[in-house]
Amino acid sequence: MDFGFDTLLIANRGEIACRIMRSAHKLGLKTVAVYSDADASTAHVELADVAVRLGPAPAAESYLRSDLVIEAALVTGAGAIHPGYGFLSENADFAQSCEDAGIAFVGPAPEQLRVFGDKHTARDAARRVGVPLVAGSGLLGSVDEALAAAAEIGYPVMLKAVGGGGGIGMQACHGPGDLHEAYERVLRLASANFSSAGVFLERFVSHARHVEVQIFGDGEGRTLSLGTRDCSLQRRNQKVVEEAPAPGLPDEIVEQMLTSSRALASSVRYRSAGTVEFVYDTERGEVSFLEMNTRLQVEHPVTEEVTGVDLVEWMLRLARGDKEMLAALPDSGPAITGHAVEARVYAEDPGRDYRPSAGLLTHVEFPAHTRIETWVDTGTEVGTFYDPLLAKVIVRGESRRTAFAGLAAALDDTHLYGVQTNLSQLRGICESDTVR
């Protein structure tokens, strides 16, 4: 469908809202920001052509109010909504409501969000097209079923909520006692945090790398892959440092990931940007499907740096009915050149169990000639209502070694005062012999 829009509403905040606006303005689009009371004077509001207040600071009363977001689009004449990541980005009902209102949802189709929004149905879709899967169970109806399934799979196992994400609704279990104790707790977490309260089991991979494939589908059955990323450096099951391409993987594993990712997306006629995530078992030398993220990833800049592609621009152009940027490329996507690495700067204290920090940023300094995705500057007030991500520092080098050396130099020239940050930890990562 060609919506032919000239005004875009960004249903998000922070660095991702600013980043989407940059590509929108490059395409000559008028931009509409939405904001909560806590964000009334932040960067994405200042950058937009028009800004609409949604409500009070809590996300449930502002950024998660899909009715208010759609109303803002209709009032401002926005013909499209880009959801960014988080908030409403993978909400199938929101995507459907957009399209029912005649507004382009810049992302996958609602039915694709439904298939991949549930880990169990996502596994079924992956199984049908031969994507490698780790040993696991079906949906579990009781703790006794879980214990029986675990005995068949073999311990350790991971108990997972079908709608989980961001490390929520997951529990490693090393024996029947662990599983018995975790079962009701994970069920409660699933009920409280996700639309589906179902749980299932997977074999727990003790020595794992988190690797993923960026894909882009035209909505008619053709899918391109844009290389791999490694996102193994995490805290609380959330990413801290990401790089592209994923280093040190056997060629046959990389090819298996790329081809199976394209097959999975093409099987549902996937539309727009997405990421197929895998676990690589370093002991077995096997890769297995983890999940599919039906949105723009936080770490998308490292893929952009090694492919020369503006993924947000692609998303916007496709939503307008333009597929020209895909026509001349093979299914394997553009050539990968060099190596890129991204570090997430958080307002948190790694020395105190990553306790979030809030306050006024009294001085902010980022290095020149470095790609920085951020929403903060000197004088920005950092609150506690939202994710503590302050900035992403992205560096490309001709090799992995030069990329990490460049990141180390960039982090040395990055200074944020007024709140506690993880900068010292990020600098230590760059100097780690294990990481290098």
Side-chain angles (χ1 to χ4, degrees), residues 11 36 58 85 95 102 113 138 176 178 223 261 300 373 389 397 412 414 422 425:
S36 72
Y85 56 73
L113 291 168
D178 289 350
T223 304
S261 295
H300 76 274
E373 300 292 353
L389 181 64
D412 283 342
T414 299
N422 66 332
Q425 184 183 58

Side-chain angles (χ1 to χ4, degrees), residues 12-14 17-18 21 33-35 39 42-48 63:
N12 219 297
R13 64 175 299 280
C18 297
M21 283 181 197
V34 290
Y35 64 92
D39 284 339
T42 53
H44 79 285
V45 174
E46 299 296 325
L47 287 171
Y63 295 108

Side-chain angles (χ1 to χ4, degrees), residues 388-406:
L389 181 64
L390 299 179
K392 301 183 308 199
V393 181
I394 304 107
V395 174
R396 180 190 175 279
E398 293 306 309
S399 66
R400 185 171 187 267
R401 180 183 59 80
T402 57
F404 265 98

Side-chain angles (χ1 to χ4, degrees), residues 305-320:
E305 290 297 313
V306 297
T307 60
V309 168
D310 182 332
L311 283 166
V312 175
E313 179 184 333
W314 274 22
M315 295 177 78
L316 295 172
R317 289 176 61 183
L318 183 68
R320 297 176 89 178

Side-chain angles (χ1 to χ4, degrees), residues 3 24 29 44 59 91 105 110 131 148 156 171-172 189 215 218 221 223 225-226 249 298 327 332 343 360 387 400 427:
F3 288 87
L29 296 172
H44 79 285
N91 187 310
F105 179 79
V131 181
Q171 180 66 54
L189 282 168
I215 58 97
D218 69 359
T223 304
S225 55
L226 291 92
L249 291 175
V298 181
S332 55
L360 180 71
D387 185 273
R400 185 171 187 267
R427 293 171 184 141

Side-chain angles (χ1 to χ4, degrees), residues 291-371:
E291 64 182 340
M292 182 159 174
N293 287 143
T294 48
R295 55 172 167 79
L296 191 68
Q297 293 277 88
V298 181
E299 61 272 22
H300 76 274
V302 291
T303 294
E304 293 183 327
E305 290 297 313
V306 297
T307 60
V309 168
D310 182 332
L311 283 166
V312 175
E313 179 184 333
W314 274 22
M315 295 177 78
L316 295 172
R317 289 176 61 183
L318 183 68
R320 297 176 89 178
D322 177 9
K323 301 183 181 72
E324 184 181 344
M325 66 282 185
L326 307 179
L329 291 170
D331 290 351
S332 55
I336 307 297
T337 58
H339 199 92
V341 61
E342 169 184 293
R344 303 189 190 187
V345 181
Y346 287 112
E348 63 186 19
D349 186 351
R352 301 182 70 184
D353 196 27
Y354 301 98
R355 180 178 177 177
S357 179
L360 180 71
L361 288 171
T362 55
H363 179 72
V364 173
E365 183 180 347
F366 292 110
H369 314 300
T370 299
R371 180 172 177 179

Side-chain angles (χ1 to χ4, degrees), residues 78-425:
I81 294 175
H82 196 308
Y85 56 73
F87 292 139
L88 297 168
S89 62
E90 295 179 281
N91 187 310
D93 292 339
F94 174 63
Q96 187 65 59
S97 296
C98 290
E99 299 197 355
D100 290 346
I103 300 167
F105 179 79
V106 185
E111 59 269 23
Q112 294 159 1
L113 291 168
R114 291 190 179 96
V115 167
F116 294 116
D118 182 304
K119 286 184 171 64
H120 187 64
T121 57
R123 278 176 60 92
D124 287 344
R127 185 180 292 107
R128 283 194 294 271
V129 295
V131 181
L133 290 168
V134 72
S137 74
L139 279 175
L140 300 167
S142 68
V143 69
D144 289 336
E145 283 187 28
L147 290 166
E152 184 175 338
I153 296 166
Y155 288 97
V157 293
M158 182 73 86
L159 181 65
K160 288 187 173 183
V162 295
I168 302 171
M170 293 167 35
Q171 180 66 54
C173 304
H174 295 271
D178 289 350
L179 181 55
H180 201 284
E181 192 233 340
Y183 188 83
E184 291 299 330
R185 182 172 67 254
V186 172
L187 267 183
R188 284 196 302 272
L189 282 168
S191 299
N193 289 280
F194 311 112
S195 57
S196 174
V199 294
F200 67 104
L201 287 175
E202 285 182 345
R203 185 178 67 212
F204 178 63
V205 181
S206 301
H207 297 279
R209 284 174 56 186
H210 185 135
V211 291
E212 57 192 36
V213 174
Q214 175 71 58
I215 58 97
F216 196 94
D218 69 359
E220 297 178 354
R222 182 167 186 245
T223 304
L224 271 61
S225 55
L226 291 92
T228 60
R229 295 188 290 254
D230 189 293
C231 306
S232 301
L233 283 165
Q234 303 182 9
R235 61 97 170 94
R236 292 179 171 172
N237 297 307
Q238 293 184 325
K239 301 162 188 173
V240 176
V241 172
E242 306 102 341
E243 55 183 302
L249 291 175
D251 291 343
E252 62 272 19
I253 291 291
V254 172
E255 187 59 27
Q256 183 184 27
M257 290 169 58
L258 296 177
T259 55
S260 65
S261 295
R262 294 195 298 265
L264 177 59
S266 294
S267 71
V268 297
R269 300 169 69 86
Y270 189 81
R271 183 183 77 191
S272 198
T275 296
V276 185
E277 302 200 349
F278 296 87
V279 167
Y280 178 62
D281 187 328
T282 60
E283 292 181 321
R284 289 185 170 90
E286 297 174 351
V287 71
S288 55
F289 176 74
L290 179 63
E291 64 182 340
M292 182 159 174
N293 287 143
T294 48
R295 55 172 167 79
L296 191 68
Q297 293 277 88
V298 181
E299 61 272 22
H300 76 274
V302 291
T303 294
E304 293 183 327
E305 290 297 313
V306 297
T307 60
V309 168
D310 182 332
L311 283 166
V312 175
E313 179 184 333
W314 274 22
M315 295 177 78
L316 295 172
R317 289 176 61 183
L318 183 68
R320 297 176 89 178
D322 177 9
K323 301 183 181 72
E324 184 181 344
M325 66 282 185
L326 307 179
L329 291 170
D331 290 351
S332 55
I336 307 297
T337 58
H339 199 92
V341 61
E342 169 184 293
R344 303 189 190 187
V345 181
Y346 287 112
E348 63 186 19
D349 186 351
R352 301 182 70 184
D353 196 27
Y354 301 98
R355 180 178 177 177
S357 179
L360 180 71
L361 288 171
T362 55
H363 179 72
V364 173
E365 183 180 347
F366 292 110
H369 314 300
T370 299
R371 180 172 177 179
I372 305 292
E373 300 292 353
T374 189
W375 63 281
V376 301
D377 205 342
T378 300
T380 299
E381 185 75 34
V382 178
T384 57
F385 287 101
Y386 314 114
D387 185 273
L389 181 64
L390 299 179
K392 301 183 308 199
V393 181
I394 304 107
V395 174
R396 180 190 175 279
E398 293 306 309
S399 66
R400 185 171 187 267
R401 180 183 59 80
T402 57
F404 265 98
L407 179 62
L411 291 171
D412 283 342
D413 291 336
T414 299
H415 306 284
L416 295 97
Y417 298 104
V419 301
Q420 182 69 41
T421 72
N422 66 332
L423 273 169
S424 61
Q425 184 183 58

